Amino acid sequence: MSTASWTRPVRLAMLHHQRTWAETVEGLLGARYDVEVVVSHTDWNWVCGAVSRGDVDVVLVSLGDGGFEPSHVSRLKEAWPGIAVVVVSESSDPDLVTAAVRAGARGWLSPATCARELVQGLHAVTHGQTWLPPLLTTAVLDRLLTEERVRGESQSSVARLSPRELEILNCLAAGMTRREIGEGFHLSQHTVRTHINHILRKLEVHSTLAAVSIVNKARVPGTSV
Amino acid sequence: MRIVMCDDNRLLLEALSNALALQGFTVEAATSTPAEAVAAVRLYDPDILLIDLGFEGADGLTAAREVARSHPRTRVVILTGSDDPESLLEAMRIGVAGYVRKDQRLDGIVTALRQAAEGESAIDKTLLRKLTSAARPHSRRSAVASLTQQERVVLCYLAEGLQTYEIVSQLGISTSTVRSHIQAILSKLGVHTRLQAVALYNATDRTPQVARDR
């Protein structure tokens, strides 16, 4: 993207659960030449409606503390992959930030952010940058890397299973009973029990719950094995 | 009208002070910690302190209490995103003039500020109902039922926002009689302020109706 587009106003949609915020921040940004507020509202459907009519570069979403959820970020990214999502939040919980980043958020604005910094952040994310407070970035990276390591270990454990054993473990993870699994695969109760015993031995655990936890950790969040 | 604002959400602080200025208010100071807010109140002697509740390592209510004690001319209006009834109750004990929620429209906040500046109470009605419905409706209802006919009439006038002297002229009884009725109402309902009594009254199922006309 050319540097000339820095001078084009960022077209912004704002979704904030506090009406006072949505209304007054819209007024504040409305006076600026470098941002064009397309919509600012408390209602999810209302904002999505405006975004679907096009001409939005960034969606700003309030997360946590009575606000929206990381799943809303995912839904925005699924529907409009080209739009950057930036979060405003009172929270600085690294788990929430990590969840938002994983859901596809590319910016996180703390309560200490002023209007000038907000606009800087908006322009940055439209140019592919990630805009997180440095301290939170450290915590988020730590979490993502730890998850990555645990996932790697779990995946190599799961790789020891035969295809049928993996199928059965996935059924257990989905909450199916042994009887349902037996019926589903046309296996006797005895055979199902034997498969499960093999699974436990190969994963070096003592309960189906522990085995299920390993297969869940092996999964990339938001997908199935 | 002159205002000192306090909120640790910088964007909202900026946006709201901008919006209030456009509505003709004079924002003397936009602060982001309760300590700064108290200092700004001493410095500017504003009509209103508009303050949030939740701060990192501090509490808006502490500042509200401090201002109510040391600078009573400035009326305190709480602006909060929380709907915690305990905070509302505590704010009412302190005697704040207003309590508004951040899911309010700007118009609503402007109205609340004007009411508060004129000495009226501007407590969020929805929260008030929530507070009183949480407070054991059964025993409260019987508490209201235990009031005498005259006390109920006085409570009814309080609920309509009448001052003591107005009730005096409405009922044609002496000021001290009205005061003692109010004392009796507070002690029978087990509350400390008129505001709390009114909140209870509003949340109570009022049958049979109190005759408002003598």
Side-chain angles (χ1 to χ4, degrees), chain A residues 20 23-24, chain B residues 1 3 16-25 48 50 77 79 100-101 104-118 122:
Chain A
T20 307
E23 192 180 339
T24 58
Chain B
M1 194 189 307
I3 300 182
L16 191 54
S17 53
N18 173 67
L20 290 177
L22 290 174
Q23 296 277 329
F25 292 85
I48 301 270
L50 180 63
V77 176
L79 178 65
V100 266
R101 292 179 47 171
Q104 186 73 251
R105 285 194 174 284
L106 181 62
D107 300 348
I109 294 173
V110 167
T111 308
L113 290 175
R114 299 225 158 99
Q115 283 176 336
E118 282 161 21

PDB file of all heavy atoms in Angstrom, chain A residues 20 23-24, chain B residues 1 3 16-25 48 50 77 79 100-101 104-118 122:
ATOM      1  N   THR A  20     -23.071   5.815  26.076  1.00  0.00           N
ATOM      2  CA  THR A  20     -22.397   7.098  26.286  1.00  0.00           C
ATOM      3  C   THR A  20     -21.096   7.142  25.494  1.00  0.00           C
ATOM      4  O   THR A  20     -20.785   8.134  24.830  1.00  0.00           O
ATOM      5  CB  THR A  20     -22.080   7.291  27.784  1.00  0.00           C
ATOM      6  OG1 THR A  20     -23.281   7.099  28.528  1.00  0.00           O
ATOM      7  CG2 THR A  20     -21.538   8.673  28.045  1.00  0.00           C
ATOM      8  N   GLU A  23     -21.714   7.193  21.617  1.00  0.00           N
ATOM      9  CA  GLU A  23     -22.247   8.466  21.130  1.00  0.00           C
ATOM     10  C   GLU A  23     -21.210   9.593  21.207  1.00  0.00           C
ATOM     11  O   GLU A  23     -21.001  10.318  20.234  1.00  0.00           O
ATOM     12  CB  GLU A  23     -23.487   8.823  21.963  1.00  0.00           C
ATOM     13  CG  GLU A  23     -24.297   9.964  21.373  1.00  0.00           C
ATOM     14  CD  GLU A  23     -25.529  10.284  22.226  1.00  0.00           C
ATOM     15  OE1 GLU A  23     -25.967   9.419  23.018  1.00  0.00           O
ATOM     16  OE2 GLU A  23     -26.046  11.406  22.088  1.00  0.00           O
ATOM     17  N   THR A  24     -20.532   9.707  22.362  1.00  0.00           N
ATOM     18  CA  THR A  24     -19.633  10.853  22.520  1.00  0.00           C
ATOM     19  C   THR A  24     -18.325  10.664  21.746  1.00  0.00           C
ATOM     20  O   THR A  24     -17.788  11.633  21.226  1.00  0.00           O
ATOM     21  CB  THR A  24     -19.315  11.137  24.005  1.00  0.00           C
ATOM     22  OG1 THR A  24     -18.721   9.973  24.585  1.00  0.00           O
ATOM     23  CG2 THR A  24     -20.575  11.509  24.765  1.00  0.00           C
TER      24      THR A  24
ATOM     25  N   MET B   1     -22.811  26.265  33.742  1.00  0.00           N
ATOM     26  CA  MET B   1     -22.511  25.333  34.824  1.00  0.00           C
ATOM     27  C   MET B   1     -21.083  24.821  34.692  1.00  0.00           C
ATOM     28  O   MET B   1     -20.636  24.484  33.614  1.00  0.00           O
ATOM     29  CB  MET B   1     -23.481  24.159  34.746  1.00  0.00           C
ATOM     30  CG  MET B   1     -23.470  23.323  35.999  1.00  0.00           C
ATOM     31  SD  MET B   1     -24.423  21.833  35.767  1.00  0.00           S
ATOM     32  CE  MET B   1     -25.960  22.518  35.186  1.00  0.00           C
ATOM     33  N   ILE B   3     -17.986  22.218  35.624  1.00  0.00           N
ATOM     34  CA  ILE B   3     -17.853  20.799  35.947  1.00  0.00           C
ATOM     35  C   ILE B   3     -16.389  20.387  36.050  1.00  0.00           C
ATOM     36  O   ILE B   3     -15.554  20.856  35.279  1.00  0.00           O
ATOM     37  CB  ILE B   3     -18.507  19.928  34.840  1.00  0.00           C
ATOM     38  CG1 ILE B   3     -19.984  20.275  34.727  1.00  0.00           C
ATOM     39  CG2 ILE B   3     -18.338  18.452  35.107  1.00  0.00           C
ATOM     40  CD1 ILE B   3     -20.698  19.437  33.711  1.00  0.00           C
ATOM     41  N   LEU B  16     -16.441  12.900  26.277  1.00  0.00           N
ATOM     42  CA  LEU B  16     -17.553  13.432  27.054  1.00  0.00           C
ATOM     43  C   LEU B  16     -17.333  14.896  27.398  1.00  0.00           C
ATOM     44  O   LEU B  16     -18.277  15.700  27.345  1.00  0.00           O
ATOM     45  CB  LEU B  16     -17.747  12.587  28.324  1.00  0.00           C
ATOM     46  CG  LEU B  16     -19.020  12.834  29.127  1.00  0.00           C
ATOM     47  CD1 LEU B  16     -20.254  12.699  28.244  1.00  0.00           C
ATOM     48  CD2 LEU B  16     -19.110  11.847  30.283  1.00  0.00           C
ATOM     49  N   SER B  17     -16.090  15.267  27.713  1.00  0.00           N
ATOM     50  CA  SER B  17     -15.869  16.687  28.031  1.00  0.00           C
ATOM     51  C   SER B  17     -16.065  17.538  26.780  1.00  0.00           C
ATOM     52  O   SER B  17     -16.618  18.635  26.851  1.00  0.00           O
ATOM     53  CB  SER B  17     -14.510  16.930  28.684  1.00  0.00           C
ATOM     54  OG  SER B  17     -13.478  16.388  27.918  1.00  0.00           O
ATOM     55  N   ASN B  18     -15.669  16.985  25.643  1.00  0.00           N
ATOM     56  CA  ASN B  18     -15.927  17.662  24.371  1.00  0.00           C
ATOM     57  C   ASN B  18     -17.437  17.834  24.147  1.00  0.00           C
ATOM     58  O   ASN B  18     -17.916  18.921  23.830  1.00  0.00           O
ATOM     59  CB  ASN B  18     -15.308  16.826  23.251  1.00  0.00           C
ATOM     60  CG  ASN B  18     -15.650  17.316  21.865  1.00  0.00           C
ATOM     61  OD1 ASN B  18     -15.213  18.396  21.480  1.00  0.00           O
ATOM     62  ND2 ASN B  18     -16.443  16.559  21.131  1.00  0.00           N
ATOM     63  N   ALA B  19     -18.183  16.756  24.371  1.00  0.00           N
ATOM     64  CA  ALA B  19     -19.635  16.791  24.143  1.00  0.00           C
ATOM     65  C   ALA B  19     -20.324  17.750  25.111  1.00  0.00           C
ATOM     66  O   ALA B  19     -21.222  18.505  24.720  1.00  0.00           O
ATOM     67  CB  ALA B  19     -20.214  15.386  24.277  1.00  0.00           C
ATOM     68  N   LEU B  20     -19.880  17.736  26.377  1.00  0.00           N
ATOM     69  CA  LEU B  20     -20.518  18.617  27.365  1.00  0.00           C
ATOM     70  C   LEU B  20     -20.202  20.074  27.074  1.00  0.00           C
ATOM     71  O   LEU B  20     -21.052  20.952  27.260  1.00  0.00           O
ATOM     72  CB  LEU B  20     -20.070  18.236  28.784  1.00  0.00           C
ATOM     73  CG  LEU B  20     -20.612  16.892  29.292  1.00  0.00           C
ATOM     74  CD1 LEU B  20     -20.048  16.560  30.670  1.00  0.00           C
ATOM     75  CD2 LEU B  20     -22.140  16.879  29.331  1.00  0.00           C
ATOM     76  N   ALA B  21     -18.977  20.331  26.598  1.00  0.00           N
ATOM     77  CA  ALA B  21     -18.623  21.704  26.233  1.00  0.00           C
ATOM     78  C   ALA B  21     -19.533  22.207  25.112  1.00  0.00           C
ATOM     79  O   ALA B  21     -20.000  23.352  25.133  1.00  0.00           O
ATOM     80  CB  ALA B  21     -17.157  21.769  25.811  1.00  0.00           C
ATOM     81  N   LEU B  22     -19.819  21.313  24.155  1.00  0.00           N
ATOM     82  CA  LEU B  22     -20.707  21.690  23.051  1.00  0.00           C
ATOM     83  C   LEU B  22     -22.123  21.956  23.550  1.00  0.00           C
ATOM     84  O   LEU B  22     -22.881  22.695  22.933  1.00  0.00           O
ATOM     85  CB  LEU B  22     -20.737  20.588  21.984  1.00  0.00           C
ATOM     86  CG  LEU B  22     -19.453  20.408  21.177  1.00  0.00           C
ATOM     87  CD1 LEU B  22     -19.558  19.199  20.257  1.00  0.00           C
ATOM     88  CD2 LEU B  22     -19.143  21.669  20.370  1.00  0.00           C
ATOM     89  N   GLN B  23     -22.480  21.335  24.679  1.00  0.00           N
ATOM     90  CA  GLN B  23     -23.803  21.543  25.259  1.00  0.00           C
ATOM     91  C   GLN B  23     -23.842  22.773  26.161  1.00  0.00           C
ATOM     92  O   GLN B  23     -24.840  23.024  26.827  1.00  0.00           O
ATOM     93  CB  GLN B  23     -24.217  20.316  26.088  1.00  0.00           C
ATOM     94  CG  GLN B  23     -24.391  19.042  25.291  1.00  0.00           C
ATOM     95  CD  GLN B  23     -25.762  18.946  24.639  1.00  0.00           C
ATOM     96  OE1 GLN B  23     -26.735  19.456  25.158  1.00  0.00           O
ATOM     97  NE2 GLN B  23     -25.815  18.315  23.480  1.00  0.00           N
ATOM     98  N   GLY B  24     -22.730  23.503  26.222  1.00  0.00           N
ATOM     99  CA  GLY B  24     -22.716  24.744  26.985  1.00  0.00           C
ATOM    100  C   GLY B  24     -22.177  24.632  28.400  1.00  0.00           C
ATOM    101  O   GLY B  24     -22.195  25.602  29.145  1.00  0.00           O
ATOM    102  N   PHE B  25     -21.688  23.456  28.779  1.00  0.00           N
ATOM    103  CA  PHE B  25     -21.087  23.312  30.100  1.00  0.00           C
ATOM    104  C   PHE B  25     -19.641  23.795  30.048  1.00  0.00           C
ATOM    105  O   PHE B  25     -19.003  23.722  28.995  1.00  0.00           O
ATOM    106  CB  PHE B  25     -21.084  21.851  30.549  1.00  0.00           C
ATOM    107  CG  PHE B  25     -22.459  21.284  30.817  1.00  0.00           C
ATOM    108  CD1 PHE B  25     -23.218  20.756  29.789  1.00  0.00           C
ATOM    109  CD2 PHE B  25     -22.989  21.295  32.096  1.00  0.00           C
ATOM    110  CE1 PHE B  25     -24.480  20.235  30.026  1.00  0.00           C
ATOM    111  CE2 PHE B  25     -24.256  20.776  32.339  1.00  0.00           C
ATOM    112  CZ  PHE B  25     -25.001  20.246  31.302  1.00  0.00           C
ATOM    113  N   ILE B  48     -20.392  20.870  39.833  1.00  0.00           N
ATOM    114  CA  ILE B  48     -20.574  19.422  39.768  1.00  0.00           C
ATOM    115  C   ILE B  48     -19.223  18.707  39.649  1.00  0.00           C
ATOM    116  O   ILE B  48     -18.350  19.163  38.908  1.00  0.00           O
ATOM    117  CB  ILE B  48     -21.390  19.022  38.499  1.00  0.00           C
ATOM    118  CG1 ILE B  48     -22.768  19.676  38.489  1.00  0.00           C
ATOM    119  CG2 ILE B  48     -21.479  17.511  38.359  1.00  0.00           C
ATOM    120  CD1 ILE B  48     -23.854  18.887  39.155  1.00  0.00           C
ATOM    121  N   LEU B  50     -18.296  15.156  38.200  1.00  0.00           N
ATOM    122  CA  LEU B  50     -18.822  13.977  37.495  1.00  0.00           C
ATOM    123  C   LEU B  50     -17.722  12.922  37.512  1.00  0.00           C
ATOM    124  O   LEU B  50     -16.671  13.104  36.895  1.00  0.00           O
ATOM    125  CB  LEU B  50     -19.194  14.359  36.058  1.00  0.00           C
ATOM    126  CG  LEU B  50     -19.773  13.254  35.168  1.00  0.00           C
ATOM    127  CD1 LEU B  50     -21.084  12.734  35.715  1.00  0.00           C
ATOM    128  CD2 LEU B  50     -19.969  13.766  33.739  1.00  0.00           C
ATOM    129  N   VAL B  77     -21.913  13.714  40.999  1.00  0.00           N
ATOM    130  CA  VAL B  77     -22.699  12.827  40.140  1.00  0.00           C
ATOM    131  C   VAL B  77     -21.798  11.663  39.732  1.00  0.00           C
ATOM    132  O   VAL B  77     -20.694  11.874  39.229  1.00  0.00           O
ATOM    133  CB  VAL B  77     -23.233  13.557  38.892  1.00  0.00           C
ATOM    134  CG1 VAL B  77     -23.957  12.576  37.969  1.00  0.00           C
ATOM    135  CG2 VAL B  77     -24.170  14.690  39.285  1.00  0.00           C
ATOM    136  N   LEU B  79     -20.871   8.540  37.407  1.00  0.00           N
ATOM    137  CA  LEU B  79     -21.103   8.034  36.050  1.00  0.00           C
ATOM    138  C   LEU B  79     -20.420   6.681  35.953  1.00  0.00           C
ATOM    139  O   LEU B  79     -19.203   6.596  36.030  1.00  0.00           O
ATOM    140  CB  LEU B  79     -20.514   8.994  35.012  1.00  0.00           C
ATOM    141  CG  LEU B  79     -20.640   8.551  33.548  1.00  0.00           C
ATOM    142  CD1 LEU B  79     -22.084   8.504  33.118  1.00  0.00           C
ATOM    143  CD2 LEU B  79     -19.844   9.474  32.650  1.00  0.00           C
ATOM    144  N   VAL B 100     -25.635   8.046  37.309  1.00  0.00           N
ATOM    145  CA  VAL B 100     -26.043   7.715  35.941  1.00  0.00           C
ATOM    146  C   VAL B 100     -25.164   6.630  35.360  1.00  0.00           C
ATOM    147  O   VAL B 100     -23.998   6.485  35.726  1.00  0.00           O
ATOM    148  CB  VAL B 100     -26.004   8.941  34.988  1.00  0.00           C
ATOM    149  CG1 VAL B 100     -27.346   9.606  34.916  1.00  0.00           C
ATOM    150  CG2 VAL B 100     -24.932   9.908  35.356  1.00  0.00           C
ATOM    151  N   ARG B 101     -25.756   5.886  34.468  1.00  0.00           N
ATOM    152  CA  ARG B 101     -25.029   4.776  33.864  1.00  0.00           C
ATOM    153  C   ARG B 101     -24.492   5.150  32.503  1.00  0.00           C
ATOM    154  O   ARG B 101     -25.044   5.981  31.803  1.00  0.00           O
ATOM    155  CB  ARG B 101     -25.954   3.568  33.750  1.00  0.00           C
ATOM    156  CG  ARG B 101     -26.313   3.011  35.101  1.00  0.00           C
ATOM    157  CD  ARG B 101     -27.216   1.854  34.960  1.00  0.00           C
ATOM    158  NE  ARG B 101     -26.705   0.933  33.941  1.00  0.00           N
ATOM    159  CZ  ARG B 101     -27.215  -0.256  33.721  1.00  0.00           C
ATOM    160  NH1 ARG B 101     -28.242  -0.669  34.401  1.00  0.00           N
ATOM    161  NH2 ARG B 101     -26.715  -1.025  32.794  1.00  0.00           N
ATOM    162  N   GLN B 104     -26.356   5.255  29.187  1.00  0.00           N
ATOM    163  CA  GLN B 104     -27.256   6.390  29.010  1.00  0.00           C
ATOM    164  C   GLN B 104     -26.864   7.188  27.771  1.00  0.00           C
ATOM    165  O   GLN B 104     -25.700   7.277  27.429  1.00  0.00           O
ATOM    166  CB  GLN B 104     -27.075   7.263  30.251  1.00  0.00           C
ATOM    167  CG  GLN B 104     -27.981   8.423  30.375  1.00  0.00           C
ATOM    168  CD  GLN B 104     -29.385   7.998  30.732  1.00  0.00           C
ATOM    169  OE1 GLN B 104     -30.262   8.082  29.891  1.00  0.00           O
ATOM    170  NE2 GLN B 104     -29.588   7.540  31.950  1.00  0.00           N
ATOM    171  N   ARG B 105     -27.865   7.786  27.110  1.00  0.00           N
ATOM    172  CA  ARG B 105     -27.553   8.727  26.031  1.00  0.00           C
ATOM    173  C   ARG B 105     -26.982  10.019  26.613  1.00  0.00           C
ATOM    174  O   ARG B 105     -27.204  10.315  27.777  1.00  0.00           O
ATOM    175  CB  ARG B 105     -28.821   9.082  25.265  1.00  0.00           C
ATOM    176  CG  ARG B 105     -29.292   7.999  24.356  1.00  0.00           C
ATOM    177  CD  ARG B 105     -30.329   8.537  23.394  1.00  0.00           C
ATOM    178  NE  ARG B 105     -30.645   7.504  22.438  1.00  0.00           N
ATOM    179  CZ  ARG B 105     -29.862   7.147  21.425  1.00  0.00           C
ATOM    180  NH1 ARG B 105     -28.727   7.799  21.216  1.00  0.00           N
ATOM    181  NH2 ARG B 105     -30.200   6.180  20.623  1.00  0.00           N
ATOM    182  N   LEU B 106     -26.317  10.790  25.775  1.00  0.00           N
ATOM    183  CA  LEU B 106     -25.761  12.066  26.220  1.00  0.00           C
ATOM    184  C   LEU B 106     -26.872  12.946  26.800  1.00  0.00           C
ATOM    185  O   LEU B 106     -26.690  13.582  27.840  1.00  0.00           O
ATOM    186  CB  LEU B 106     -25.063  12.760  25.045  1.00  0.00           C
ATOM    187  CG  LEU B 106     -24.414  14.096  25.376  1.00  0.00           C
ATOM    188  CD1 LEU B 106     -23.323  13.925  26.417  1.00  0.00           C
ATOM    189  CD2 LEU B 106     -23.858  14.751  24.130  1.00  0.00           C
ATOM    190  N   ASP B 107     -28.031  12.978  26.141  1.00  0.00           N
ATOM    191  CA  ASP B 107     -29.171  13.766  26.643  1.00  0.00           C
ATOM    192  C   ASP B 107     -29.475  13.437  28.095  1.00  0.00           C
ATOM    193  O   ASP B 107     -29.740  14.315  28.900  1.00  0.00           O
ATOM    194  CB  ASP B 107     -30.463  13.433  25.860  1.00  0.00           C
ATOM    195  CG  ASP B 107     -30.322  13.733  24.390  1.00  0.00           C
ATOM    196  OD1 ASP B 107     -29.328  14.395  24.041  1.00  0.00           O
ATOM    197  OD2 ASP B 107     -31.189  13.302  23.614  1.00  0.00           O
ATOM    198  N   GLY B 108     -29.451  12.141  28.390  1.00  0.00           N
ATOM    199  CA  GLY B 108     -29.769  11.682  29.738  1.00  0.00           C
ATOM    200  C   GLY B 108     -28.764  12.208  30.746  1.00  0.00           C
ATOM    201  O   GLY B 108     -29.119  12.618  31.856  1.00  0.00           O
ATOM    202  N   ILE B 109     -27.493  12.229  30.349  1.00  0.00           N
ATOM    203  CA  ILE B 109     -26.446  12.721  31.243  1.00  0.00           C
ATOM    204  C   ILE B 109     -26.599  14.222  31.455  1.00  0.00           C
ATOM    205  O   ILE B 109     -26.507  14.722  32.571  1.00  0.00           O
ATOM    206  CB  ILE B 109     -25.059  12.362  30.673  1.00  0.00           C
ATOM    207  CG1 ILE B 109     -24.901  10.840  30.682  1.00  0.00           C
ATOM    208  CG2 ILE B 109     -23.952  13.020  31.477  1.00  0.00           C
ATOM    209  CD1 ILE B 109     -23.658  10.341  30.009  1.00  0.00           C
ATOM    210  N   VAL B 110     -26.885  14.925  30.359  1.00  0.00           N
ATOM    211  CA  VAL B 110     -27.071  16.377  30.449  1.00  0.00           C
ATOM    212  C   VAL B 110     -28.235  16.688  31.393  1.00  0.00           C
ATOM    213  O   VAL B 110     -28.118  17.546  32.281  1.00  0.00           O
ATOM    214  CB  VAL B 110     -27.315  16.975  29.042  1.00  0.00           C
ATOM    215  CG1 VAL B 110     -27.832  18.399  29.133  1.00  0.00           C
ATOM    216  CG2 VAL B 110     -26.033  16.919  28.228  1.00  0.00           C
ATOM    217  N   THR B 111     -29.341  15.972  31.233  1.00  0.00           N
ATOM    218  CA  THR B 111     -30.502  16.187  32.102  1.00  0.00           C
ATOM    219  C   THR B 111     -30.135  15.933  33.563  1.00  0.00           C
ATOM    220  O   THR B 111     -30.468  16.726  34.445  1.00  0.00           O
ATOM    221  CB  THR B 111     -31.651  15.233  31.694  1.00  0.00           C
ATOM    222  OG1 THR B 111     -31.870  15.384  30.299  1.00  0.00           O
ATOM    223  CG2 THR B 111     -32.922  15.561  32.451  1.00  0.00           C
ATOM    224  N   ALA B 112     -29.418  14.826  33.795  1.00  0.00           N
ATOM    225  CA  ALA B 112     -29.037  14.483  35.168  1.00  0.00           C
ATOM    226  C   ALA B 112     -28.148  15.566  35.774  1.00  0.00           C
ATOM    227  O   ALA B 112     -28.319  15.940  36.938  1.00  0.00           O
ATOM    228  CB  ALA B 112     -28.321  13.136  35.189  1.00  0.00           C
ATOM    229  N   LEU B 113     -27.212  16.106  34.983  1.00  0.00           N
ATOM    230  CA  LEU B 113     -26.324  17.152  35.490  1.00  0.00           C
ATOM    231  C   LEU B 113     -27.119  18.395  35.860  1.00  0.00           C
ATOM    232  O   LEU B 113     -26.878  19.016  36.890  1.00  0.00           O
ATOM    233  CB  LEU B 113     -25.258  17.497  34.438  1.00  0.00           C
ATOM    234  CG  LEU B 113     -24.192  16.421  34.184  1.00  0.00           C
ATOM    235  CD1 LEU B 113     -23.282  16.825  33.039  1.00  0.00           C
ATOM    236  CD2 LEU B 113     -23.383  16.166  35.448  1.00  0.00           C
ATOM    237  N   ARG B 114     -28.076  18.761  34.992  1.00  0.00           N
ATOM    238  CA  ARG B 114     -28.887  19.953  35.282  1.00  0.00           C
ATOM    239  C   ARG B 114     -29.712  19.744  36.543  1.00  0.00           C
ATOM    240  O   ARG B 114     -29.783  20.617  37.401  1.00  0.00           O
ATOM    241  CB  ARG B 114     -29.811  20.259  34.089  1.00  0.00           C
ATOM    242  CG  ARG B 114     -29.042  20.544  32.808  1.00  0.00           C
ATOM    243  CD  ARG B 114     -29.571  21.763  32.060  1.00  0.00           C
ATOM    244  NE  ARG B 114     -28.530  22.279  31.173  1.00  0.00           N
ATOM    245  CZ  ARG B 114     -28.465  22.020  29.865  1.00  0.00           C
ATOM    246  NH1 ARG B 114     -29.402  21.280  29.298  1.00  0.00           N
ATOM    247  NH2 ARG B 114     -27.486  22.520  29.132  1.00  0.00           N
ATOM    248  N   GLN B 115     -30.327  18.559  36.646  1.00  0.00           N
ATOM    249  CA  GLN B 115     -31.128  18.259  37.843  1.00  0.00           C
ATOM    250  C   GLN B 115     -30.262  18.344  39.101  1.00  0.00           C
ATOM    251  O   GLN B 115     -30.647  18.973  40.083  1.00  0.00           O
ATOM    252  CB  GLN B 115     -31.711  16.840  37.754  1.00  0.00           C
ATOM    253  CG  GLN B 115     -32.911  16.738  36.827  1.00  0.00           C
ATOM    254  CD  GLN B 115     -33.382  15.295  36.696  1.00  0.00           C
ATOM    255  OE1 GLN B 115     -32.609  14.357  36.914  1.00  0.00           O
ATOM    256  NE2 GLN B 115     -34.640  15.126  36.340  1.00  0.00           N
ATOM    257  N   ALA B 116     -29.096  17.711  39.027  1.00  0.00           N
ATOM    258  CA  ALA B 116     -28.219  17.681  40.192  1.00  0.00           C
ATOM    259  C   ALA B 116     -27.807  19.089  40.596  1.00  0.00           C
ATOM    260  O   ALA B 116     -27.781  19.427  41.780  1.00  0.00           O
ATOM    261  CB  ALA B 116     -26.993  16.824  39.903  1.00  0.00           C
ATOM    262  N   ALA B 117     -27.511  19.934  39.602  1.00  0.00           N
ATOM    263  CA  ALA B 117     -27.077  21.291  39.893  1.00  0.00           C
ATOM    264  C   ALA B 117     -28.199  22.089  40.543  1.00  0.00           C
ATOM    265  O   ALA B 117     -27.961  22.996  41.335  1.00  0.00           O
ATOM    266  CB  ALA B 117     -26.604  21.975  38.620  1.00  0.00           C
ATOM    267  N   GLU B 118     -29.449  21.734  40.212  1.00  0.00           N
ATOM    268  CA  GLU B 118     -30.578  22.453  40.799  1.00  0.00           C
ATOM    269  C   GLU B 118     -31.020  21.839  42.121  1.00  0.00           C
ATOM    270  O   GLU B 118     -32.055  22.219  42.664  1.00  0.00           O
ATOM    271  CB  GLU B 118     -31.748  22.473  39.805  1.00  0.00           C
ATOM    272  CG  GLU B 118     -31.550  23.516  38.713  1.00  0.00           C
ATOM    273  CD  GLU B 118     -32.421  23.259  37.498  1.00  0.00           C
ATOM    274  OE1 GLU B 118     -33.432  22.532  37.657  1.00  0.00           O
ATOM    275  OE2 GLU B 118     -32.098  23.786  36.427  1.00  0.00           O
ATOM    276  N   ALA B 122     -30.855  12.884  40.931  1.00  0.00           N
ATOM    277  CA  ALA B 122     -30.852  12.304  39.587  1.00  0.00           C
ATOM    278  C   ALA B 122     -30.261  10.898  39.645  1.00  0.00           C
ATOM    279  O   ALA B 122     -29.170  10.639  39.163  1.00  0.00           O
ATOM    280  CB  ALA B 122     -30.051  13.188  38.639  1.00  0.00           C
TER     281      ALA B 122
END
